[in-house]
Amino acid sequence: YKNIIHPFLSRCMKKKAFTTNFYLGLQLEAKTEDLMADELFRISLAYQGGLYMLPKDDEKARYYCLEAAKKGHAVAQLSAGMWMKDDKEAAMKWTRLAAENGEAQALYIVSESCDDAAERLSLLRKSAEKGYELACTRLAEMYRNGDAGVVADSAIAKFWAFEGRAGSVEGGKLFKQLVSKDDFNGEKINASKIIKAAAEAGEPHAIFEHGNSFISTNENKAAEQWQKAVKAGSHYAMCNYGRFLSKKNDDEKAAELFRKAAEWGIEEGMFNLSRMYLEGVGVEKDLMKAWEWNEKALNLGFVPSRHLLAVMLMNGIGKDELKRGEFYLELAAEDGYGPAVKLKAEKEQERR
């Protein structure tokens, strides 16, 4: 198929590469330099998996992945590093770039090769807070043993073991070692108890998660916990507390919190800061900055950023010769993002 049938179909259709995906077809016909990093990475994935009637082609998959990596796509940078295992220096270069852009697995990999204890802990915590389970388990071990300058704390160790328990066999074993019968309600883990205990021990991410437990019942109480978590150093709490402040019309403070979270590498912070620049709320309106911050989140695979990109394009912001607006709206809707599902339905209704 790769060497005979697909080239034949491409010639018959007068295309560079035949595909059954309309949007992918447009991207393949375009010049590489005219494509966004995320579009290049999606072409790479299509060739890697042999999707939409493209042939499986590792050479082309690697080419498009590297082009996406050069344009700052964090996930592509991580993938480029993994593909270059035979060249350890080049592999680590791309992995470090991915880590700098906030990719969770890359942060963990770089932390494991870091000699400086403080920097290693910072990278590891960042990866763990982003939900990378191996990082959570490693952090739990450090709090259990009091490693690398960390003060041993059983409650915090248990919290991080709980967060990382499903990521590996070792993570599951560690969690079983740290929990007791008191941590269960019948056969179910009492997650709220574990989180609350770690929050009381001063763990910033646990304070943030403890605040989240009040979202549906008492938003003011949730905000109190988020504010406390922000003071303790939780960048994820900055996003939630920022949204709360924005509802209370304290947009300048909200923008400040979103910026800190975004600069720390949190996709949600990038996305929210982008929206504020787009709307001129809390900051001076700046469409270029709105686009740039949203694309950073997009390059980390953040689904709401796909919807926001579609909204921008459909409102005349940015070039849309390749029907990017329709493409990214469809992607966000396929991922079940509510605003995208609603907008897609509205657009379909308009066409009837």
Side-chain angles (χ1 to χ4, degrees):
Y1 180 77
K2 174 182 175 182
N3 296 318
I4 299 175
I5 298 175
H6 186 263
F8 174 73
L9 289 171
S10 300
R11 287 194 299 273
C12 289
M13 301 297 291
K14 297 182 179 180
K15 301 291 184 183
K16 290 180 182 177
F18 169 73
T19 176
T20 55
N21 185 294
F22 172 72
Y23 302 108
L24 185 62
L26 291 176
Q27 293 160 12
L28 286 164
E29 291 298 309
K31 294 179 180 178
T32 301
E33 58 266 30
D34 292 335
L35 295 175
M36 296 172 59
D38 193 61
E39 291 171 321
L40 290 163
F41 186 60
R42 289 185 174 280
I43 295 174
S44 171
L45 292 177
Y47 272 118
Q48 186 178 356
L51 306 176
Y52 311 114
M53 294 297 287
L54 285 177
K56 282 189 177 184
D57 190 323
D58 284 345
E59 184 178 344
K60 287 185 178 179
R62 292 184 186 192
Y63 167 77
Y64 282 106
C65 179
L66 189 58
E67 291 300 310
K70 290 175 183 176
K71 288 194 173 188
H73 197 286
V75 184
Q77 289 168 342
L78 173 65
S79 298
M82 290 180 169
W83 263 333
M84 294 181 179
K85 288 181 179 179
D86 293 336
D87 186 341
K88 291 183 179 180
E89 185 177 342
M92 186 51 70
K93 168 199 164 186
W94 285 114
T95 305
R96 287 187 182 280
L97 284 172
E100 288 171 9
N101 284 319
E103 208 290 322
Q105 185 177 349
L107 285 161
Y108 174 73
I109 294 170
V110 174
S111 77
E112 290 293 285
S113 65
C114 189
D115 294 326
D116 183 82
E119 184 182 358
R120 183 183 186 189
L121 178 60
S122 175
L123 291 167
L124 191 64
R125 171 171 284 279
K126 194 170 180 179
S127 177
E129 290 183 1
K130 280 176 164 282
Y132 191 63
E133 291 167 331
L134 290 178
C136 296
T137 297
R138 183 70 188 98
L139 204 54
E141 291 173 343
M142 293 172 74
Y143 275 103
R144 179 189 63 178
N145 302 328
D147 292 342
V150 171
V151 177
D153 190 298
S154 59
I156 297 177
K158 189 185 297 182
F159 166 75
W160 283 115
F162 169 71
E163 295 287 298
R165 68 194 186 283
S168 66
V169 174
E170 292 77 12
K173 286 181 179 178
L174 179 62
F175 180 64
K176 287 179 180 178
Q177 291 171 12
L178 294 175
V179 293
S180 65
K181 291 181 180 179
D182 293 337
D183 295 313
F184 287 82
N185 280 331
E187 295 183 357
K188 291 185 178 180
I189 300 168
N190 190 340
S192 60
K193 180 183 177 183
I194 293 172
I195 293 168
K196 185 178 180 182
E200 290 173 349
E203 166 53 48
H205 201 64
I207 301 170
F208 159 68
E209 290 195 9
H210 183 51
N212 291 348
S213 68
F214 298 107
I215 290 175
S216 60
T217 57
N218 190 333
E219 191 175 31
N220 288 329
K221 193 168 183 178
E224 286 176 10
Q225 292 298 313
W226 294 332
Q227 186 177 26
K228 184 178 177 182
V230 168
K231 290 178 179 178
S234 170
H235 290 79
Y236 275 90
M238 291 177 185
C239 295
N240 283 22
Y241 190 51
R243 286 200 307 273
F244 175 81
L245 291 175
S246 189
K247 287 182 182 178
K248 302 296 182 182
N249 297 317
D250 192 351
D251 292 311
E252 289 187 8
K253 179 62 176 176
E256 181 184 335
L257 290 171
F258 292 149
R259 184 182 304 281
K260 287 180 179 178
E263 290 174 347
W264 202 70
I266 296 176
E267 300 92 312
E268 190 175 352
M270 299 170 186
F271 168 74
N272 282 312
L273 183 59
S274 172
R275 289 183 61 186
M276 299 200 92
Y277 274 120
L278 180 63
E279 298 166 6
V281 175
V283 294
E284 186 176 344
K285 187 171 183 176
D286 190 321
L287 299 182
M288 181 69 74
K289 288 181 179 179
W291 183 280
E292 289 173 354
W293 278 114
N294 189 62
E295 189 171 7
K296 284 179 181 290
L298 182 74
N299 289 345
L300 282 162
F302 193 59
V303 173
S305 288
R306 296 171 187 164
H307 170 252
L308 185 56
L309 176 64
V311 170
M312 288 184 189
L313 290 164
M314 289 176 175
N315 284 281
I317 301 169
K319 296 180 179 179
D320 199 19
E321 298 93 338
L322 304 179
K323 297 189 180 293
R324 288 187 176 113
E326 292 180 14
F327 175 59
Y328 278 96
L329 178 61
E330 193 168 299
L331 286 177
E334 286 175 359
D335 284 319
Y337 184 58
V341 173
K342 182 180 177 183
L343 180 58
K344 184 183 177 185
E346 290 172 357
K347 293 294 181 183
E348 289 174 349
Q349 186 66 34
E350 288 174 6
R351 288 195 287 266
R352 289 174 185 169

